């Protein structure tokens, strides 16, 4: 039986990829803000309807740069239900993550619980739109305004998600995206930073018209370079290469097909699993979800683990995204009290979902899930 992994990278025809890479090869310009990367930034911004787009090396460096750009320090309010990079990026900046529980309907940070966690040391809220489902951006913005906090969204999963008709990346002070090979849109490795201060100012002759936040992102991702011999502040190597940009440019041509294929797969799964009444993120009518993952919450951890094991026997590798809850990691000193995140992280599985996964394969996965859950429920 052929193995089915939780995901598989989208692979465009190799001839298209090599033709695009050849442009960089012929130009002898392989990295350092080259023409393909700049083209990718413009095309991504336009395809997403985003206010801005600065491509960087990966989704983790995007978070680090975003935190630096807003001078996040002290305590940062965040979610315990995300990929580990959300939490470690805070600690990497020598700030303290303060965990606030999630809502059971979206699995995102619960705005009703944020204010109780704010102290004089709080500077920033770093929330994840987990699985590409938007946080309650309006409630979070209102809290941030009241307490003079910056808002960064870890939008790693959000390529294509819209809220009230516009890109979810246009919310918060900054949003960050991952373009890792496992994401629905990717450039092998890659990430992007989206700033939302759209007021361009003429900074000087070198930079021209750019917003102050974008100005600092550009310095931060390039060692602080400000011209060949001038430096402005501390930066890091957050750049991405022309070869990665080439893959991104090719993959972007297929984005409508990729999103449509996700929809087909979600519909298939939804239909075949309906009888189990599993927990799924609630999608509000204001949201166009990119359906980047297929997460399902079982009635208990035991039920989820029984399914994981049964699928593995059939060479199907679902994943416990995201387990463990991030506030239970060994290096977290103050985990807070987050019962909803604890429950969801223990009993959730993401089922396989990737471009080209066939209906027949989904039917096979669902038949295993249904049989296992029915048997488990009959015995427990
Ligand atoms: N914030 C959030 C909310 C995130 O989810 C992530 C990353 C980040 C920030 C950081 O962004 P990046 O710095 O990564 O750009 C994977 C991805 O590596 C990671 O990007 C992603 N989130 C996370 C949710 O998933 P793992 O440890 O699960 O990856 P791995 O190697 O186990 O691969 C997953 C599955 O994909 C496996 O079944 C194997 C298959 N696979 C993987 C690769 C790389 C392939 O078939 N081909 C491949 O080339 O983290």
């Amino acid at each position: 039986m052929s193995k089915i992994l939780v995901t598989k990278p989208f692979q465009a025809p190799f001839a298209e990829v090599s033709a695009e890479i050849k442009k960089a090869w012929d130009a002898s310009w392989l990295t350092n803000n080259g023409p393909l990367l700049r083209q990718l930034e413009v095309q991504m911004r336009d395809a997403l309807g985003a206010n801005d787009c600065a491509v960087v090396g990966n989704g983790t460096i995007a978070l680090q740069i975003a935190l630096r750009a807003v001078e996040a320090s002290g305590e940062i309010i965040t979610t315990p239900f995300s990929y580990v990079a959300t939490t470690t990026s805070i600690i990497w900046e020598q700030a303290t993550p303060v965990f606030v529980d999630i809502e059971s309907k979206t699995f995102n940070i619960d705005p009703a619980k944020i204010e109780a966690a704010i102290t004089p040391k709080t500077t920033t809220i770093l929330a994840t739109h987990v699985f590409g489902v938007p946080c309650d951006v309006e409630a979070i913005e209102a809290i941030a305004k009241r307490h003079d906090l910056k808002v960064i969204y870890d939008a790693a999963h959000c390529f294509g998600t819209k809220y009230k008709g516009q890109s979810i990346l246009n919310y918060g002070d900054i949003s960050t995206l991952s373009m890792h090979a496992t994401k629905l849109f990717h450039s092998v490795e890659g990430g992007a930073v989206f700033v939302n201060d759209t007021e361009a100012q003429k900074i000087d002759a070198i930079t021209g018209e750019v917003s102050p936040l974008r100005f600092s992102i550009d310095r931060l991702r390039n060692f602080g370079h400000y011209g060949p011999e001038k430096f402005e502040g501390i930066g890091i190597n957050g750049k991405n290469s022309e070869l990665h940009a080439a893959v991104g440019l090719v993959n972007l041509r297929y984005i409508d097909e990729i999103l449509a294929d996700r929809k087909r797969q979600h519909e298939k799964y939804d239909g075949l699993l309906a009888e189990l009444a599993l927990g799924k993120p609630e999608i509000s009518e204001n949201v166009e979800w990119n359906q980047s993952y297929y997460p399902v919450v079982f009635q208990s951890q035991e039920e989820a683990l029984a399914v994981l094991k049964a699928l593995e026997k059939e060479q199907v590798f679902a994943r416990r995204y995201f387990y463990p809850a991030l506030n239970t990691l060994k290096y977290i000193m103050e985990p807070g009290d987050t019962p909803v995140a604890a429950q969801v992280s223990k009993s959730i599985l993401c089922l396989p979902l990737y471009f080209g996964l066939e209906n027949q394969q989904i039917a096979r996965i669902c038949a295993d899930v249904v049989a296992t859950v029915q048997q488990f429920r009959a015995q427990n």
Side-chain angles (χ1 to χ4, degrees), residues 5-9 58-60 63 82-83 85-86 128 154 156-157 178 180-183 190 293 319 321-322:
L5 301 178
V6 68
T7 187
K8 190 174 167 181
N58 55 64
T60 307
L63 283 169
S82 184
Y83 187 58
T86 315
T128 302
D154 181 342
H157 307 158
S178 166
H180 181 258
T182 55
K183 301 296 185 294
Y293 290 78
R319 283 289 284 270
Y321 289 146
F322 289 102

Side-chain angles (χ1 to χ4, degrees), residues 84-132:
V84 69
T86 315
T87 294
T88 53
S89 64
I90 294 172
I91 301 172
W92 200 268
E93 297 306 324
Q94 313 223 346
T96 305
V98 173
F99 293 96
V100 167
D101 208 358
I102 59 170
E103 301 175 307
S104 54
K105 57 178 184 176
T106 59
F107 315 145
N108 288 324
I109 198 164
D110 187 344
K113 296 184 181 149
I114 290 179
E115 279 189 301
I118 295 175
T119 76
K121 292 186 191 153
T122 311
T123 61
T124 309
I125 299 170
L126 170 55
T128 302
H129 302 300
V130 78
F131 305 130

Side-chain angles (χ1 to χ4, degrees), residues 37-264:
L37 186 117
R38 290 199 303 268
Q39 196 185 334
L40 179 63
E41 289 183 336
V42 171
Q43 289 192 14
M44 279 175 60
R45 186 197 64 199
D46 294 349
L48 288 160
N51 292 328
D52 189 34
C53 175
V55 167
V56 296
N58 55 64
T60 307
I61 202 80
L63 283 169
Q64 305 300 161
I65 288 173
L67 288 164
R68 283 282 165 124
V70 301
E71 296 176 3
S73 62
E75 293 178 359
I76 299 181
I77 290 182
T78 191
T79 172
F81 188 69
S82 184
Y83 187 58
V84 69
T86 315
T87 294
T88 53
S89 64
I90 294 172
I91 301 172
W92 200 268
E93 297 306 324
Q94 313 223 346
T96 305
V98 173
F99 293 96
V100 167
D101 208 358
I102 59 170
E103 301 175 307
S104 54
K105 57 178 184 176
T106 59
F107 315 145
N108 288 324
I109 198 164
D110 187 344
K113 296 184 181 149
I114 290 179
E115 279 189 301
I118 295 175
T119 76
K121 292 186 191 153
T122 311
T123 61
T124 309
I125 299 170
L126 170 55
T128 302
H129 302 300
V130 78
F131 305 130
V133 177
C135 293
D136 186 342
V137 287
E138 276 144 9
I140 292 173
E141 190 183 332
I143 295 165
K145 275 217 174 104
R146 265 203 299 283
H147 297 272
D148 194 21
L149 304 176
K150 297 291 184 194
V151 178
I152 298 172
Y153 286 112
D154 181 342
H157 307 158
C158 286
F159 198 103
T161 290
K162 290 188 178 163
Y163 179 69
K164 291 195 172 166
Q166 66 162 313
S167 173
I168 193 62
L169 301 162
N170 291 347
Y171 291 84
D173 293 286
I174 302 185
S175 296
T176 63
L177 181 77
S178 166
M179 288 133 67
H180 181 258
T182 55
K183 301 296 185 294
L184 66 78
F185 168 73
H186 76 86
S187 57
V188 182
E189 288 279 355
V193 183
F194 298 82
V195 304
N196 289 317
D197 67 336
T198 45
E199 298 262 317
Q201 295 172 10
K202 184 147 180 72
I203 304 242
D204 64 20
I206 303 175
T207 312
E209 297 264 328
V210 69
S211 75
L213 207 46
R214 175 60 196 258
F215 176 76
S216 51
I217 303 282
D218 285 343
R219 305 284 78 73
L220 283 162
R221 71 172 167 170
N222 190 23
F223 308 101
H225 264 296
Y226 186 45
E229 293 171 10
K230 268 171 80 181
F231 297 90
E232 170 110 357
I234 294 167
I236 196 165
N237 183 353
K239 293 177 278 103
N240 211 330
S241 82
E242 290 292 274
L243 307 199
H244 292 86
V247 177
L249 282 167
V250 173
N251 288 350
L252 207 48
R253 297 176 196 152
Y254 291 89
I255 193 65
D256 291 342
E257 265 179 74
I258 294 171
L259 290 167
D261 198 52
R262 283 294 209 271
K263 191 164 185 279
R264 166 190 64 83

